[in-house]
Every structure is written in structure tokens, then in C-alpha cells.
Amino acid sequence: MGKDAARAEWDNPMQFVLACVSYAVGLGNVWRFPYLCQMHGGGGFLIPYMLMLVLLGVPLFYMELAIGQKMRLGSIGAWRAISPYLGGVGMASVVTSMYLCLYYNVINAWSFWYLFHSFQSVLPWAECPVNSNLTGPVEECERATPTQYFFYRETLDISGSIEENGGIHMGQALCLLLAWIIVYLFIVKGVKSTGKVVYFTATFPYLVLIIYLIRGVTLHGAINGVKYMFTPKMEQLAKPTTWINAATQIFFSLGLGFGSLIAFASYNQYNNNFEKQAIVVSMVNSSTSIFASIVTFSIYGFKATFNYESCLERVRLLLLNTFDLAEDTISLENVNHWIAELNRTHPEQFASLGGRLETCDLEAELDTAVEGTGLAFIVYSEAIKNMPVSQLWSVLYFIMLLLLGMGSMLGNVIAVITPLSVLSYLVGLVCLFCLLLGLGFTTRSGNYWFTMFNDYGATFSLLFIVLIEVITVCYIYGIKRFEKDVEDMLGHRLNWYWKIMLAGVSPILLIALFIFYIVNYIQGGTPTYQAWNKELGKSVVTEYPPYAQAFIGLLLASSVCCIPLTALYTYLKNVIS
């Protein structure tokens, strides 16, 4: 395992740290973490999250950086150097990263689409478009909301189910082409160009988040959202899913198992202090998640308060009109008092209101958890349209999403091209290949396939990959040899924390998570997805058809089976020769 003299290197350790930050801090910090916080009882979720960071996240991050820096190879070469039977671990990482490359850039394409639509005097998702007879708004939009209509109909032009296909959405296809051209330009010169790009992709999103935080906390009702985030519901800690989600969030968020960290670290100088860097990047990443959540929840609070007060206003008008009261008798503050009062004094007339009287509840508004693209593109755009100078906030927000997405895409593509030692002219072919396959996601049923890749393309395989990685380093390569390598690079031995975590705690936790994931998957019955129903103007839970279920099985198995197949191939080759 000698050092490779001719390998390109980062200009300085700062570039490496920024590349890791730019890669690790991605869209998940902005949309997945706040959603998990909301689902698992607000501030209480920070307890399992922090514990998993210390027990799983930091030690595994440290291990991947150490391997990359020591071997100075991409993921396939690094694992093959440890044992020829283990080349499959790197292959599994490459396949998983490839899946991610295919669909992740589609999100960047949506961001471009929204960004280009932000330069209008009225944001297109602020109100419903007029129907073809010019008699009123489009029906589908009236049933849903303007923001949902813009996302599902204008952006995706979505079909009613995964089984209804339609042609490619040209606008989306062009945005996807643009996204891939930019990724190509960022990485075509290798580490030298990526090293320069990360200065911007790693730092600019923080600037936007800070501006948004100042804007967010000054919005009316923002405090309701922030209070909601930090009020722990401790009973959630008794549920195993809370702990599972905390662990998988750490995993995804730090980018473990994809091979990107090994690739990044392989461009380090041999004696670079990766121990300090592992701790710094992990801490920055988790702090960003919490920071982004405060921003998201303040905007959430604003939206919930806005909806709640609009509901009270509708009830107020209904009461004023039904009971012929003077305009100023009922205010938003005393609506509930008047409901009780009028029910007591005019019971017959009150009963005639029937279904027209809405129940307004702020807590219920805050409880509706929205995940992923729904949070990023629907909830945020809904909040943005109610802000003064909404175009400015919209442009800022989508530029931030683009930079977060692009920063992570660099890591994904580097994880594919570094192990394959791709020559520079082949980088273009890899990008072209991903673009052509990615066009499938821009068809009318493309979003359902996107969801499938997002749900099943990585979780299972990452757990398996990282479990094999830890067992390999500690028990096949041997913790003693690993310790010697670390001493060789850093000049001091592994301390007890790294040893206990890597040799004991992390593998046990990973095995538990892995078993839990399989049990959950089997008990979950037929996999389902959210299909958009334009008659109802909302998403309905639908079961995947048999061929889609078979495809899910293929997605789960394809990356994982690289590991045993490569080992078998190596074994047979040795036997024959």
C-alpha cells in the first residue's frame, strides 16, 4: 500500500474540508431533518440524533477518511487493496452513487424551473390560472392550492398513477440538460476545478440561510413554529422508528457508504490531520441541520398562523352574515367566545350552519408534517408568496437549493468517476449517460419513479455497505493494522473512543438497524406511493403495481449483490488459475 506520487491533490486542507461540507450539507438538511423533527416530537428528536452522531456518524466518517487517505485510491481500489475479495464493496458504493446521480439532478432541474419562473411580477404559484373559457380558475387548481397546482401540473404535469405514461416535459428536460452541463463543467478538470467550486457551494448557502433566518423570525407567527420545534414530546423516544430515523438521517447526511468520502480523502496529503477534520465536518453538518430547521420552522409557523387566521376570518364573516351583527362585534380574538355564545342564544339558527362552520386549530396546522420535495417546493413557495417582495425571496431560496444540490452532486459524480479512474473525456460520457437515463424522470409518470429511487435506491444498500466496511476494517484488515496506519499518518495512536466505537458499538448498532429495516420492510406489506388525484386535488396512497414492486426488489438487490458476486468471482479465478 505505497503512496501514489503522481496523484492530484487538494491545494490545501481547507479545500478538502469545504468539499466534504459542500457534499455533506445538502438538501436533506433543509427538508428531511425538519420533517423528522416534526414527525418525532420536535426537540426530543435531537436526543437520539446527537447520540447516533457520536456512536455511529463520527467514527464511521473518521474510518472512511482514514482509508481514502491511506490507500490514495477510489472506493473500488481501496477495498481491493485491503483484500481482493472486497472489490465488491467499492462496486456497491459506485452503483448506489450512480442511482443517486440519476435522480438527484432532477431536483436541481426543478430548482432551475422555479428559479426561472421567479422573475415575474406575480409569482405563477401565487394564484390559480384562468380556465380555457375564461369563466373562472382552472378546476384542478381550485380543488388543490395554487402552489400544489404549480408543482404537480405545471412543473411535473403528473399522471394519475405510475401506470399512466406520457411524453417528456420539454421544459423539465431542458432544465435537466442545464443541470448536467453545469455539473460537467464543475468536475471536468478534476480536483483542481472542484477545489475552486466548493469555496462557493459550501459557503453561499449559509449566507442565504442567515438572511432567511433574519427574515423568518420577523414574520408574523414565526414564534409559534420555533416553539413547536423546541417543545419535546418525550413519548416519541419510546418508539424504535425514532431511533432508526435518527441513525439513517446521520448516515445520509454525512454521506457514508457512497464512496465519495473515500474519493475525496484520496486526494489528501499523506500526513493530513483527518481526525480533526472528521470531527469538524460532522459537527458543521449537524449544526447546519438544526440551524436550517429553525429557519424552516419559523417559516412553517408563519404559514400555519396565516392559515389559522384566514380560517378564523372566514368563521367571523360567516357569523356576522348569518346573525346580522355589527362589523366590529366579532374580532379574531373573540371568535371562539362568540361561537359558544351564539350556540347558547340562537340554537336553531346556529344548527343550520351545519358543515359550513370550520374548526380552526393552530396546533393541527403545525402538526401536518410535509417531507422532501413537498416541503421544499410546496410549503416554502406557499410561504414565499405571502412575503413582501416575494420575487426576491424566491430567487434567493432557489439559488440556495441549487447550490446545496450541486455541491452534493459533485460528491456523487466524483464517487462514480474516481474508482473507475475515468479519463477526462469519459467524464462527459458518464454525464451524458446519466442525463439520458434521467430523462425518464421528466415524463408524466416520472415523479413516481423518482419517489421509488428516493425511497429504495440507497437506504438498504448503505446500511449493508457500511456494515461490511466496519467489519472489514476491524476484523479482516485488523484493528491493530488500522491503528498502525493511523499512527503512520497522524503520528499518534488511536484513542479509546475510536477503538470502542469501531470495534464494538458501531457494528452492533448497524446490525440492529439492518435487521430492523428488513423486518419493517416485510411487515409493511405491499409498498405504496402517493399518486396525485386531479379530481380530488390531493395525493392518495396507492399500491405499486407488480412490475414496479419487482423493480423495487431489483433496486434493493442490485447494489448489494455486487459484494458476494465479486468475492465469488475472485475465488473462482484463484481456483482456476
Side-chain angles (χ1 to χ4, degrees):
M1 287 175 4
K3 292 188 281 181
D4 166 12
R7 194 172 185 80
E9 288 183 352
W10 302 105
D11 291 347
N12 52 48
M14 189 65 187
Q15 270 190 5
F16 167 67
V17 170
L18 285 176
C20 287
V21 166
S22 179
Y23 168 64
V25 174
L27 297 166
N29 299 64
V30 176
W31 71 39
R32 181 129 174 94
F33 184 80
Y35 163 74
L36 290 175
C37 255
Q38 191 175 12
M39 204 167 82
H40 297 302
F45 182 67
L46 294 175
I47 299 168
Y49 179 76
M50 284 306 184
L51 263 173
M52 288 296 177
L53 178 70
V54 173
L55 301 178
L56 265 183
V58 182
L60 298 175
F61 198 82
Y62 175 88
M63 178 189 79
E64 288 207 349
L65 294 189
I67 286 164
Q69 189 166 313
K70 171 74 190 167
M71 304 295 182
R72 299 176 75 77
L73 293 162
S75 53
I76 298 179
W79 294 111
R80 200 178 276 148
I82 288 176
S83 156
Y85 290 102
L86 289 171
V89 178
M91 304 253 281
S93 288
V94 171
V95 172
T96 309
S97 289
M98 192 72 179
Y99 289 157
L100 201 60
C101 282
L102 288 181
Y103 78 85
Y104 204 89
N105 229 1
V106 176
I107 306 172
N108 293 331
W110 295 339
S111 297
F112 272 125
W113 173 262
Y114 269 80
L115 179 63
F116 297 149
H117 281 84
S118 300
F119 298 99
Q120 300 183 17
S121 53
V122 176
L123 291 175
W125 53 85
E127 47 196 43
C128 285
V130 180
N131 64 20
S132 48
N133 313 334
L134 307 178
T135 48
V138 175
E139 274 186 34
E140 181 184 1
C141 182
E142 269 193 302
R143 292 191 200 106
T145 61
T147 40
Q148 282 176 319
Y149 179 82
F150 185 81
F151 183 65
Y152 288 111
R153 187 56 52 223
E154 309 266 340
T155 308
L156 305 174
D157 193 16
I158 200 165
S159 60
S161 78
I162 196 165
E163 298 174 74
E164 289 173 48
N165 291 315
I168 285 177
H169 182 318
M170 272 324 287
Q172 282 309 315
L174 289 171
C175 287
L176 186 62
L177 173 67
L178 177 63
W180 271 111
I181 289 173
I182 291 178
V183 169
Y184 172 70
L185 293 175
F186 278 0
I187 56 170
V188 66
K189 293 259 191 312
V191 182
K192 290 295 171 229
S193 60
T194 312
K196 305 285 184 289
V197 170
V198 293
Y199 282 116
F200 189 57
T201 58
T203 53
F204 187 76
Y206 287 101
L207 183 66
V208 179
L209 276 175
I210 290 166
I211 297 172
Y212 249 101
L213 180 70
I214 298 165
R215 178 72 198 116
V217 293
T218 54
L219 288 167
H220 173 59
I223 190 71
N224 295 331
V226 178
K227 261 197 294 210
Y228 181 88
M229 175 187 162
F230 283 108
T231 312
K233 299 190 181 72
M234 286 307 185
E235 67 277 7
Q236 287 286 341
L237 295 185
K239 296 184 182 170
T241 42
T242 307
W243 295 84
I244 290 273
N245 281 336
T248 45
Q249 177 57 19
I250 290 281
F251 243 74
F252 265 121
S253 196
L254 285 172
L256 301 167
F258 285 108
S260 305
L261 299 171
I262 295 179
F264 280 153
S266 71
Y267 300 110
N268 272 337
Q269 291 182 342
Y270 189 72
N271 298 108
N272 169 55
N273 185 355
F274 61 87
E275 185 169 58
K276 195 170 73 193
Q277 291 163 344
I279 296 167
V280 168
V281 175
S282 311
M283 291 308 160
V284 167
N285 182 47
S286 295
S287 319
T288 308
S289 291
I290 296 166
F291 179 47
S293 289
I294 297 171
V295 178
T296 300
F297 273 92
S298 62
I299 286 175
Y300 227 72
F302 162 66
K303 179 182 165 282
T305 309
F306 188 87
N307 289 355
Y308 170 65
E309 289 179 355
S310 310
C311 171
L312 288 178
E313 180 58 29
R314 288 194 296 274
V315 171
R316 185 179 87 91
L317 291 173
L318 181 70
L319 296 178
L320 289 177
N321 296 336
T322 314
F323 297 97
D324 289 327
L325 299 163
E327 180 65 37
D328 55 356
T329 36
I330 306 182
S331 67
L332 292 184
E333 281 71 43
N334 63 15
V335 168
N336 291 333
H337 161 73
W338 274 99
I339 291 177
E341 188 60 29
L342 292 166
N343 194 8
R344 196 171 56 81
T345 51
H346 303 71
E348 291 83 19
Q349 216 179 339
F350 195 85
S352 70
L353 289 172
R356 288 182 300 157
L357 189 69
E358 301 172 72
T359 15
C360 306
D361 183 359
L362 181 63
E363 195 62 21
E365 279 288 347
L366 284 164
D367 271 338
T368 41
V370 186
E371 179 186 13
T373 46
L375 177 71
F377 292 98
I378 299 172
V379 175
Y380 259 99
S381 50
E382 178 133 342
I384 287 169
K385 73 171 199 208
N386 296 322
M387 293 180 188
V389 213
S390 51
Q391 290 77 1
L392 168 72
W393 296 108
S394 184
V395 168
L396 261 181
Y397 174 66
F398 290 111
I399 287 178
M400 176 185 80
L401 275 194
L402 266 172
L403 288 173
L404 288 173
M406 285 292 174
S408 300
M409 264 312 285
L410 297 182
N412 299 337
V413 180
I414 282 179
V416 175
I417 60 179
T418 303
L420 302 175
S421 324
V422 169
L423 302 162
S424 54
Y425 68 90
L426 285 174
V427 174
L429 287 178
V430 171
C431 291
L432 184 65
F433 176 70
C434 290
L435 166 69
L436 293 175
L437 283 178
L439 286 175
F441 295 117
T442 64
T443 59
R444 294 195 56 197
S445 59
N447 191 51
Y448 302 129
W449 291 94
F450 170 88
T451 310
M452 191 192 298
F453 268 80
N454 196 18
D455 290 345
Y456 301 101
T459 327
F460 178 71
S461 46
L462 288 183
L463 281 173
F464 190 64
I465 290 167
V466 179
L467 176 60
I468 301 281
E469 285 185 1
V470 178
I471 292 171
T472 300
V473 168
C474 295
Y475 299 104
I476 298 176
Y477 188 68
I479 194 95
K480 286 273 184 290
R481 273 172 78 188
F482 181 66
E483 211 177 346
K484 222 179 139 326
D485 288 343
V486 170
E487 193 176 359
D488 194 28
M489 289 186 281
L490 297 181
H492 63 80
R493 297 184 81 80
L494 273 180
N495 67 23
W496 58 270
Y497 164 72
W498 302 113
K499 275 195 247 183
I500 293 174
M501 292 306 149
L502 287 174
V505 180
S506 300
I508 292 167
L509 271 175
L510 283 169
I511 292 168
L513 282 172
F514 190 67
I515 293 169
F516 204 90
Y517 185 86
I518 294 173
V519 170
N520 245 1
Y521 181 70
I522 295 167
Q523 283 181 343
T526 315
T528 56
Y529 66 102
Q530 299 275 352
W532 178 253
N533 183 324
K534 67 174 183 195
E535 271 65 48
L536 300 175
K538 63 176 187 190
S539 298
V540 277
V541 175
T542 314
E543 288 193 345
Y544 279 114
Y547 67 85
Q549 291 176 37
F551 189 79
I552 289 174
L554 193 68
L555 267 183
L556 292 173
S558 55
S559 50
V560 171
C561 71
C562 293
I563 299 176
L565 288 180
T566 310
L568 184 68
Y569 170 75
T570 312
Y571 174 73
L572 292 174
K573 206 170 74 173
N574 289 347
V575 169
I576 294 162
S577 60

